[in-house]
Amino acid sequence: MIEYATREYSKEEVLSLLHPLVAEWFRLKYDDLTPPQKLGVVPIYEGKNVLISSPTGTGKTLTAFLVVLSELIKMGFQGELEDSVYAVYVSPLRALNNDIYRNLEEPLGEMRRVAAERGVELPEVRHAVRTGDTTANERQRMLRKPPHILITTPETLAIVLVAPKFREKLRSVRWVIVDEIHSLAENKRGVHLSLSLERLQELVGRPFIRIGLSATINPLEEVAQFLVGYDDGRPRDCTIVDARYVKRKDIRVLSPVSDLIHTPSQVLQQKLYEAIYDLLMRYRTALIFTNTRSGTERVVFHLKMLGRERGGLDESQVMAHHGSLSRNVRHEVEEKLKRGELKAVVSSTSLELGIDIGYIDVVVQIGSPKSVTRCLQRIGRSGHRLHDTIRGRMVCVDRDDLVEVAVMVKEAYRNHLDKVRVPKNALDVLAQHLVGMAIERKWSIEEAYRLVRRSYCYRDLPFEDFMRVLRYLAGGHATLESHRVYGKIWLDEGEGVFGRRGKYARVIYTLNVGTIPEEVHVKVYTVTGKYLGNIEEEFLERLVPGDRFILGGKVYEFVEAKANKAIVKPAFDLKPTVPSWFSEMLPLSYDLALKIGEFRERMFKWLEEGRPREEVLRYLMRSCRTNREAAEAIYEYFWEMHRFLRALGVREYPSHRVVLVERYVDERGRLHHVFHTLFGRRTNDALSRALAYLATRRAGVNVGIAVHDNGFALVYPPGVEPPVTITDLRSDELEELLKDALENTELLRRRFRHVAVRSLMVLRNYKGHEISLERQQLNAQTLLKVVMSLGRDFPVLKETYREILEDYMDVEHAKEVLRRIEEGAIRVVELPTLSIPSPFAYNIVLEGLSDVVLMEDKRALILRFHERLSRLVKAVATADGSLGGDASGEQRQPAP
């Protein structure tokens, strides 16, 4: 049963349960319990599984560890503390593991001093970090003197489960703490961990207490089920501690100007950086989030330039932090931030999770973070202490972003979070674990199937899929052996058992375990041999000697490429060519997209009713927390779209209930068939690919696709009329159509490589020899052809399609949209063919030009669209006096 903790216990009630030394240490250190501690410590003490969700800085981690430390100290005094592991702490980040190690070191040292003052010696409670960075010597030392608290990652936990000697030390585990569970639940690392926990429970032979920690996540019931798993088809018990909203919020939406169309690009950029600079000057420490690594580098560069011009900000006080920088550089940034030496750190996504970065006054988000949950996660990095207000400033220079963020902030204040999506029945992760299980011992098929289905992620796994994975692993396909894919297990279906095959099975498993795919990175070195960080392989291919780009906030000039290295030299104050990073853009969430659709409906309704402009502006400033410039920009955006559709005689407006379809013919004669499907990028990816595939088949020409969060466009060559529209897609045919569309695509090839590696079909490491990524790519390409001949139900191929359709795209919500169109709940409204796109279509159309059009040129194109649209509306207004004004009939100009 899943239940919520409702009783808040007093400090004395909680401390009375703890060992007297731990209780005394707590009294000396803290005035009172925090909300998660008042709600969560007692259920943990009572042996219940607990999921704690509360903001950063509210004492979640101590809530989890208080009972653990108390019980271990109690056991130590009673002489019951043996050389084995009692608690396992799992986090997705190695840096967070090192933080936790230090955070445990401090209280244990302080408790030791309290004990010494009382004339007693505190029993030794050992804790240690074990990850891929742990040396062989340290691992040996851990075997001789195991930590009572093991701090690790999901991948290393899977490895120690098959380590012949160390796994025996895990039989005593009583507690498992999973930190940052929100960052694990929605991807395959979490799926992998869920099976490791079931295998650990099988090894222990009795249930252990599971404690999940998360800052911001929804729905808590599903995450609780993910944490605790199932027994015989029923979720295990879990108590949820919901303290997500204990901190006050101060979030504002800012636009540097009110006219985002006519303001020249350079002026707009200057105003943007000045607005950020002013925020830095107002607060002590700022964490600035961009959505891409290139954005991160650009912001650092411009803030340093402003610091030089204006003073008040030293160059050394602003640094970049993102995944392409070397670990040493990132660590240096984190330490400087902790010591209060930095004024601002600019990050893409790398500082979203809870590593300790010290005190942050304000979080500045440039552009949209694409979901309410991510918005609150990022802003929650500010105001680290319990009674601090979390403070966020969302700065936007794009009208779609402004609308998105305004709705997002409104929903954030109402505590409406996006739903997490937990991957289900991932066959590649299952294959990996079945090999791991076979290494442990001989299993009956039924027993192994029951264990797998205890994981929330596999509770509905069909038995036939389970058997297909076993047959694949047992080498049941002769054609694969000829391509050096050999059986990893033996399987006797008659007797109903399976086990390990070959003496190298354990080595192959431990060297290839994990779910994070390897991407091709090119290391960047200076001419003197200093390592700076990475760039993407595709970017290197574009560079010619003399090109300049930014890395780590500094400008470098490209000298030459040697194998998988880029050699550069400092370019100092020269103007850079900013790298076009290929990190995937964050997709708008489906839940937030629907809320934006509802917001659109309300705004158009008010314009139809003639609601006074000032009243609408007041609503935006009050309910959506916008500054006046942002409110005016949003109002003008809707007013232009309203006026455009009125000029065409259309009285239905794009929203969550209306899909507007327009046809725009550009200057080169290409027709852009634009669909205003405001359902998020992943849903639109599924709809657009299926429709483009149909269109290509029917028209006999290649059809281009432009996918945006707010819709998509199919681009046809000159003279080709669209042979399909969205009503040609059927909800019950969509999945098969998409599978057909994906054949022979780069996306299928890339994802197949990832799945084949996870399924141990393509090895990253064989008997200690690293297999190059290029070799892996070639092996995967060959195997894909072979596997295609085995049919779509072959587990590795089936999982590739599942991953693309469900994890990369959002086929379920795409089917839901189509069902609602079929039922008439969503209306499709077609516009006539025009020589300009509607204001709401600008960004969708420009998405298709993103490879060839620079930012400045995009803005120039939007201004050109806008001027042509104004002429069209005026021409229609002249022909018919009833059109072209606002809802009250008066002719209006956009605000200056």
Side-chain angles (χ1 to χ4, degrees):
M1 184 176 73
I2 307 290
E3 61 181 12
Y4 281 80
T6 52
R7 182 173 167 197
E8 291 195 358
Y9 291 85
S10 70
K11 182 179 172 182
E12 289 313 311
E13 284 177 303
V14 169
L15 296 188
S16 69
L17 303 174
L18 305 178
H19 187 276
L21 274 174
V22 178
E24 188 173 345
W25 164 79
F26 192 93
R27 279 193 195 93
L28 291 169
K29 180 110 176 170
Y30 301 103
D31 296 331
D32 198 5
L33 301 168
T34 63
Q37 288 161 4
K38 288 174 183 174
L39 291 160
V41 174
V42 173
I44 294 170
Y45 178 81
E46 290 171 347
K48 293 176 179 173
N49 297 319
V50 176
L51 172 67
I52 303 169
S53 186
S54 73
T56 303
T58 53
K60 287 191 296 290
T61 313
L62 186 56
T63 308
F65 275 113
L66 259 181
V67 171
V68 175
L69 291 173
S70 172
E71 291 296 301
L72 291 176
I73 287 168
K74 199 183 291 180
M75 288 165 70
F77 275 118
Q78 291 166 356
E80 296 169 1
L81 209 51
E82 296 178 0
D83 283 341
S84 58
V85 178
Y86 292 93
V88 178
Y89 168 94
V90 184
S91 103
L93 292 177
R94 291 179 188 182
L96 186 53
N97 284 337
N98 295 328
D99 262 358
I100 292 296
Y101 179 83
R102 287 192 295 271
N103 291 348
L104 283 175
E105 193 84 345
E106 189 182 308
L108 284 168
E110 289 166 349
M111 286 174 199
R112 214 168 284 123
R113 285 194 288 277
V114 172
E117 286 167 15
R118 300 294 168 270
V120 293
E121 189 181 340
L122 193 77
E124 185 190 24
V125 174
R126 294 189 298 270
H127 62 294
V129 176
R130 181 157 176 169
T131 66
D133 294 336
T134 307
T135 65
N137 283 343
E138 287 174 295
R139 290 201 299 270
Q140 282 303 313
R141 199 159 52 245
M142 270 184 218
L143 198 53
R144 291 192 298 272
K145 280 276 185 189
H148 302 121
I149 301 170
L150 175 68
I151 302 165
T152 191
T153 60
E155 292 75 20
T156 303
L157 178 60
I159 290 169
V160 296
L161 279 170
V162 298
K165 292 174 184 168
F166 195 82
R167 70 182 257 109
E168 294 305 311
K169 307 294 182 187
L170 297 172
R171 289 189 187 273
S172 48
V173 167
R174 288 174 54 185
W175 302 272
V176 172
I177 300 167
V178 182
D179 205 349
E180 301 288 349
I181 198 168
H182 58 272
S183 76
L184 290 168
E186 57 190 359
N187 57 52
K188 286 189 175 179
R189 289 187 82 192
V191 177
H192 199 276
L193 176 63
S194 77
L195 281 178
S196 288
L197 293 181
E198 295 311 326
R199 287 170 57 196
L200 177 60
Q201 184 150 313
E202 186 78 10
L203 173 66
V204 172
R206 55 176 162 69
F208 44 71
I209 297 163
R210 303 183 190 213
I211 306 163
L213 307 177
S214 170
T216 317
I217 198 158
N218 180 55
L220 290 176
E221 292 86 351
E222 184 174 11
V223 180
Q225 289 176 27
F226 165 77
L227 170 70
V228 299
Y230 274 57
D231 261 335
D232 299 320
R234 290 178 56 238
R236 297 186 181 111
D237 295 344
C238 187
T239 300
I240 296 171
V241 172
D242 184 4
R244 288 175 293 184
Y245 312 117
V246 296
K247 284 191 171 186
R248 290 189 304 278
K249 302 181 195 72
D250 171 15
I251 315 174
R252 296 280 178 272
V253 181
L254 310 175
S255 173
V257 298
S258 58
D259 186 352
L260 291 167
I261 296 292
H262 296 94
T263 305
S265 184
Q266 277 184 306
V267 175
L268 185 60
Q269 291 299 310
Q270 185 66 18
K271 293 275 189 192
L272 168 68
Y273 295 121
E274 284 173 3
I276 299 165
Y277 188 86
D278 290 343
L279 285 169
L280 294 195
M281 292 298 101
R282 203 173 305 153
Y283 297 102
R284 195 173 67 203
T285 322
L287 177 55
I288 302 169
F289 280 108
T290 64
N291 285 346
T292 61
R293 294 167 186 179
S294 59
T296 296
E297 298 286 2
R298 203 159 43 231
V299 171
V300 170
F301 182 76
H302 283 282
L303 288 178
K304 286 182 175 180
M305 296 280 282
L306 270 174
R308 280 181 220 160
E309 290 167 20
R310 290 183 167 197
L313 183 68
D314 190 85
E315 278 196 39
S316 63
Q317 291 179 295
V318 184
M319 294 185 85
H321 189 291
H322 59 67
S324 286
L325 296 173
S326 69
R327 199 165 141 222
N328 291 344
V329 172
R330 291 201 306 271
H331 186 66
E332 181 194 350
V333 175
E334 290 158 22
E335 288 305 310
K336 281 188 172 179
L337 189 55
K338 250 182 259 189
R339 293 196 298 266
E341 294 172 16
L342 298 180
K343 192 79 176 142
V345 169
V346 190
S347 173
S348 49
T349 56
S350 54
L351 286 177
E352 267 182 6
L353 296 185
I355 56 172
D356 182 11
I357 51 172
Y359 188 78
I360 301 289
D361 263 336
V362 65
V363 170
V364 180
Q365 166 70 48
I366 301 171
S368 169
K370 300 294 176 184
S371 85
V372 182
T373 306
R374 189 177 284 108
C375 166
L376 287 175
Q377 272 167 12
R378 290 180 170 187
I379 290 166
R381 302 297 276 145
S382 66
H384 203 81
R385 292 184 294 268
L386 176 61
H387 299 295
D388 292 337
T389 298
I390 62 170
R391 189 178 288 116
R393 298 294 178 261
M394 325 287 282
V395 189
C396 300
V397 290
D398 174 89
R399 299 194 298 181
D400 282 333
D401 270 2
L402 261 184
V403 172
E404 208 169 279
V405 168
V407 176
M408 185 186 300
V409 169
K410 180 168 170 284
E411 295 304 312
Y413 270 97
R414 296 166 73 187
N415 297 323
H416 288 174
L417 302 178
D418 312 273
K419 292 187 183 77
V420 70
R421 223 203 113 269
V422 181
K424 310 282 179 4
N425 298 335
L427 301 182
D428 50 355
V429 176
L430 174 62
Q432 208 174 105
H433 273 280
L434 287 173
V435 172
M437 288 164 70
I439 291 163
E440 290 169 18
R441 62 180 174 87
K442 180 171 137 183
W443 288 78
S444 92
I445 291 170
E446 282 298 329
E447 181 189 17
Y449 180 56
R450 271 200 309 277
L451 181 144
V452 166
R453 289 185 67 206
R454 287 181 206 145
S455 154
Y456 174 73
C457 307
Y458 293 95
R459 68 195 189 284
D460 302 321
L461 178 72
F463 184 67
E464 190 45 50
D465 279 352
F466 181 78
M467 287 308 301
R468 284 192 186 111
V469 174
L470 278 178
R471 289 177 195 128
Y472 146 66
L473 289 172
H477 299 275
T479 47
L480 288 173
E481 284 218 357
S482 61
H483 291 85
R484 300 174 70 180
V485 177
Y486 303 111
K488 313 287 186 298
I489 65 170
W490 58 261
L491 171 68
D492 185 333
E493 287 195 52
E495 201 183 320
V497 289
F498 69 93
R500 179 178 79 178
R501 176 195 283 192
K503 58 184 178 180
Y504 292 116
R506 179 179 281 107
V507 176
I508 287 170
Y509 176 76
T510 53
L511 292 175
N512 292 277
V513 85
T515 61
I516 304 169
E518 279 186 277
E519 296 292 357
V520 180
H521 287 300
V522 175
K523 292 185 175 180
V524 181
Y525 291 87
T526 62
V527 283
T528 57
K530 184 186 174 187
Y531 171 54
L532 299 170
N534 298 334
I535 56 174
E536 307 288 340
E537 187 180 41
E538 295 97 322
F539 181 57
L540 177 68
E541 288 169 1
R542 298 180 180 192
L543 289 179
V544 294
D547 278 352
R548 294 183 295 274
F549 60 93
I550 300 177
L551 188 60
K554 294 176 182 167
V555 185
Y556 295 96
E557 183 179 310
F558 176 61
V559 177
E560 62 176 334
K562 287 182 178 176
N564 222 23
K565 291 180 187 174
I567 312 299
V568 300
K569 63 183 181 185
F572 305 107
D573 291 341
L574 293 170
K575 194 178 174 187
T577 308
V578 176
S580 166
W581 301 100
F582 286 79
S583 60
E584 291 175 11
M585 286 289 290
L586 299 169
L588 175 67
S589 72
Y590 179 76
D591 298 332
L592 182 57
L594 289 184
K595 293 292 181 188
I596 298 166
E598 290 171 17
F599 175 81
R600 281 183 171 185
E601 187 177 72
R602 184 182 309 120
M603 289 289 286
F604 285 124
K605 180 171 176 279
W606 287 348
L607 288 170
E608 279 286 290
E609 293 170 357
R611 185 80 58 108
R613 182 174 187 269
E614 275 304 314
E615 192 182 316
V616 179
L617 294 181
R618 276 199 305 274
Y619 165 80
L620 292 169
M621 289 188 283
R622 188 182 64 250
S623 293
C624 303
R625 273 44 177 210
T626 70
N627 67 351
R628 186 166 183 94
E629 288 82 357
E632 286 176 348
I634 291 169
Y635 182 88
E636 295 303 331
Y637 191 26
F638 277 88
W639 183 76
E640 285 164 20
M641 187 69 183
H642 180 252
R643 192 174 61 146
F644 169 81
L645 291 172
R646 287 280 300 272
L648 296 174
V650 175
R651 302 300 283 262
E652 296 230 57
Y653 304 98
S655 72
H656 61 305
R657 282 197 272 247
V658 174
V659 170
L660 194 69
V661 182
E662 55 182 289
R663 297 170 180 223
Y664 151 62
V665 179
D666 67 20
E667 288 153 345
R668 289 163 58 187
R670 296 177 306 178
L671 189 141
H672 300 250
H673 204 190
V674 181
F675 299 84
H676 293 268
T677 47
L678 179 46
F679 302 111
R681 188 180 301 252
R682 292 173 56 236
T683 302
N684 288 338
D685 204 341
L687 293 171
S688 62
R689 278 176 193 267
L691 200 56
Y693 178 70
L694 268 187
T696 299
R697 272 200 334 208
R698 291 184 188 175
V701 294
N702 279 338
V703 176
I705 307 176
V707 184
H708 190 269
D709 289 314
N710 298 357
F712 64 91
L714 302 188
V715 186
Y716 292 88
V720 179
E721 275 295 303
V724 292
T725 190
I726 195 162
T727 48
D728 291 307
L729 292 178
R730 306 298 305 167
S731 58
D732 56 350
E733 296 169 358
L734 183 66
E735 278 195 50
E736 287 308 308
L737 193 62
L738 275 170
K739 286 176 185 174
D740 292 343
L742 285 166
E743 274 193 31
N744 302 318
T745 62
E746 194 53 48
L747 178 61
L748 184 77
R749 282 190 282 274
R750 183 165 162 256
R751 293 282 169 158
F752 176 78
R753 173 169 66 83
H754 295 172
V755 172
V757 168
R758 284 189 212 105
S759 307
L760 307 179
M761 176 180 262
V762 171
L763 300 179
R764 294 194 304 255
N765 191 307
Y766 184 63
K767 298 182 188 175
H769 299 290
E770 288 280 339
I771 296 167
S772 73
L773 201 51
E774 291 72 20
R775 182 78 249 164
Q776 291 175 42
Q777 285 170 314
L778 285 171
N779 291 347
Q781 281 171 19
T782 306
L783 287 168
L784 179 57
K785 294 185 186 118
V786 177
V787 162
M788 283 284 197
S789 67
L790 298 173
R792 284 181 183 168
D793 275 339
F794 181 75
V796 185
L797 188 57
K798 183 172 184 172
E799 175 54 27
T800 305
Y801 281 119
R802 190 213 62 77
E803 181 181 300
I804 295 172
L805 297 189
E806 294 179 19
D807 303 347
Y808 177 75
M809 297 179 191
D810 187 351
V811 73
E812 286 309 313
H813 282 133
K815 287 195 286 192
E816 188 181 310
V817 169
L818 294 177
R819 272 195 300 273
R820 291 183 67 214
I821 290 173
E822 287 156 8
E823 292 160 3
I826 294 176
R827 298 184 301 286
V828 177
V829 176
E830 301 258 359
L831 298 187
T833 303
L834 294 167
S835 60
I836 45 164
S838 74
F840 276 19
Y842 293 172
N843 278 334
I844 301 172
V845 168
L846 289 177
E847 195 75 30
L849 307 173
S850 61
D851 290 340
V852 290
V853 180
L854 296 170
M855 194 66 213
E856 289 80 0
D857 298 337
K858 276 188 181 182
R859 293 193 48 74
L861 261 175
I862 286 178
L863 183 58
R864 225 166 61 229
F865 285 156
H866 188 78
E867 286 166 350
R868 279 162 54 197
L869 181 130
S870 295
R871 287 200 296 273
L872 171 90
V873 171
K874 278 177 187 166
V876 174
T878 307
D880 177 356
S882 67
L883 296 174
D886 69 3
S888 60
E890 59 181 300
Q891 193 71 33
R892 295 187 62 255
Q893 290 298 318

